[in-house]
Amino acid sequence: MTKIFAYAIRKDEEPYVTEWKNAHKDIDVDYTDQLLTPETAKLAKGADGVVTYQQLDYKADTIEALDKLGIHNWSLRNVGIDNIDLPKAKSLGFKLTNVPVYSPNAIAEHAVVQAARLLRQDKRMDEKIARHDFRWAPTIGREVRDQTVGVIGTGHIGQVFMKLMEAFGAKVIAYDIYRNPELEKQGYYVDTLDEIYAQSDVISLHVPDTPENVHMINDESIKKMKDGVVIVNVSRGPLVDTDAVIRGLDSGKIFGFVMDTYESEVGIFNNDFSNKELPDKRLADLIARPNVLVTPHTAFYTTHAVRNMVVKAFDNNLKLIKGETPDTPVDLDKEF
Ligand code: NAD
Ligand code: COI
């Protein structure tokens, strides 16, 4: 009997795994709540394929452990593949799939809500209310419709973000290295990132973590931005030089920072430190700031998205096992 083994299945995913299992009674589906590591790879023994999601770095040792078990069909329940040693996977003959689009709205909506909360100084107001200080001033808000919003990356998520921001009445401008013809016709694009920096009150990143994009937000780019800018990163931590943003917050240049993804998040986000000392002092400092909104990479985390992630990943894995073309293969022959 064909067998699929899934790693790191959370309680909120279980109903969707069961839904898929019930619709595929001829497939043996088993899972664990543990992450895939070189040590836990053996749990998948006898399986024809594995389903995981992005939380750890999947280095050569993990990939080799699956290879030793003869498992080469690997489906991710998420978009990002930046944590996988892809050349190693390719050299060992793996077939990989991801779920590039499971709910762009989940991520875009989170970015918009957080940006709007920062503009209204909600965290400061919440803190005042908690200590029963009900005075209005000086915690005055800025309306979204008065902002020029600069969107870097107009792919799946960036486009939804643009629509939602426009629904609030913001003026939206955009930059992408590959222009979307529809958006181009509608006149959203500026020619350079410098124009985004110079004109935007809110700047939101919706680009992948590629070597060229690492630390695209740095001291130099921040210097080019408007005073009082809000920076939103719900994409990938390495896009932002966190120390540079802290310098911008300290100088008052940056009004606020939305940080759903953090360059040192691996091993911290989606873990419980509630009774332990946080090992990352910089993160503790950011969390304590009234104008920084930290969320632990949860922009994606909605019921809608999670169902799609599970169902699409299992569908993909079964197609790989059957030797069929999966809906969303990762092209390992491409240079990453
Ligand atoms: P996408 O591939 O649909 O779009 C990315 C766009 O960025 C493309 O249009 C590409 O041309 C453009 N781009 C790449 N480099 C650029 C650069 N230097 N300047 C301008 N444009 C550039 O991707 P997506 O699905 O919209 O995802 C966007 C980001 O969101 C990714 O980083 C992804 O990993 C992240 N993401 C985050 C979460 C979360 O929970 N926080 C969930 C899913 C995806
Ligand atoms: C992705 O799908 O790439 C994400 O960022 C969310 C994931 C880490 C669960």
Side-chain angles (χ1 to χ4, degrees), residues 122-241:
D122 275 353
K123 192 171 170 187
R124 276 202 174 91
M125 191 57 97
D126 288 347
E127 284 166 1
K128 278 169 67 173
I129 293 165
R131 58 174 190 271
H132 298 175
D133 174 355
F134 300 119
R135 288 172 298 175
W136 302 340
T139 323
I140 193 163
R142 287 159 60 182
E143 292 184 31
V144 177
R145 66 175 169 159
D146 293 331
Q147 316 303 315
T148 296
V149 175
V151 179
I152 305 179
T154 57
H156 297 101
I157 298 167
Q159 283 181 45
V160 178
F161 178 84
M162 289 167 75
K163 277 199 198 126
L164 295 177
M165 275 297 186
E166 279 194 327
F168 272 95
K171 177 183 175 194
V172 174
I173 58 172
Y175 176 80
D176 198 302
I177 47 174
Y178 300 108
R179 293 184 175 199
N180 173 300
E182 273 313 303
L183 297 177
E184 169 117 60
K185 264 191 241 154
Q186 292 163 39
Y188 285 107
Y189 288 111
V190 293
D191 292 330
T192 60
L193 273 176
D194 280 0
E195 288 166 81
I196 292 280
Y197 299 146
Q199 294 174 35
S200 306
D201 303 294
V202 175
I203 295 176
S204 195
L205 305 172
H206 299 284
V207 299
D209 173 18
T210 56
E212 311 78 62
N213 290 346
V214 170
H215 283 189
M216 66 190 298
I217 300 300
N218 53 40
D219 285 310
E220 281 310 301
S221 52
I222 291 169
K223 216 181 283 167
K224 295 173 184 167
M225 294 177 193
K226 286 174 86 167
D227 291 343
V229 67
V230 167
I231 300 175
V232 180
N233 183 14
V234 299
S235 284
R236 282 293 179 266
L239 302 174
V240 170
D241 177 347

Side-chain angles (χ1 to χ4, degrees), residues 53-55 77-80 99 102 235-236 297 300 309:
Y53 83 103
Q54 182 175 40
Q55 182 148 25
R77 309 199 284 284
N78 61 283
V79 185
V99 187
Y102 47 78
S235 284
R236 282 293 179 266
H297 205 139
F300 82 99
M309 293 164 100

Side-chain angles (χ1 to χ4, degrees), residues 8 16 18 21-22 42 47 50 60 63 76 104 109 130 142 150 197 201 218 223 246 251 264 269-270 278 287 303 313:
Y16 310 124
T18 305
K21 222 169 149 170
N22 289 341
K42 59 178 176 292
V50 289
I63 299 170
L76 294 162
E109 204 171 279
R142 287 159 60 182
Y197 299 146
D201 303 294
N218 53 40
K223 216 181 283 167
I246 289 173
S251 72
S264 310
F269 284 2
N270 202 14
L278 193 56
I287 292 167
T303 50

Side-chain angles (χ1 to χ4, degrees), residues 13 16-17 77 305-315:
E13 292 179 298
Y16 310 124
V17 176
R77 309 199 284 284
V306 168
R307 181 182 179 276
N308 280 343
M309 293 164 100
V310 169
V311 169
K312 287 175 186 240
F314 274 90
D315 282 349

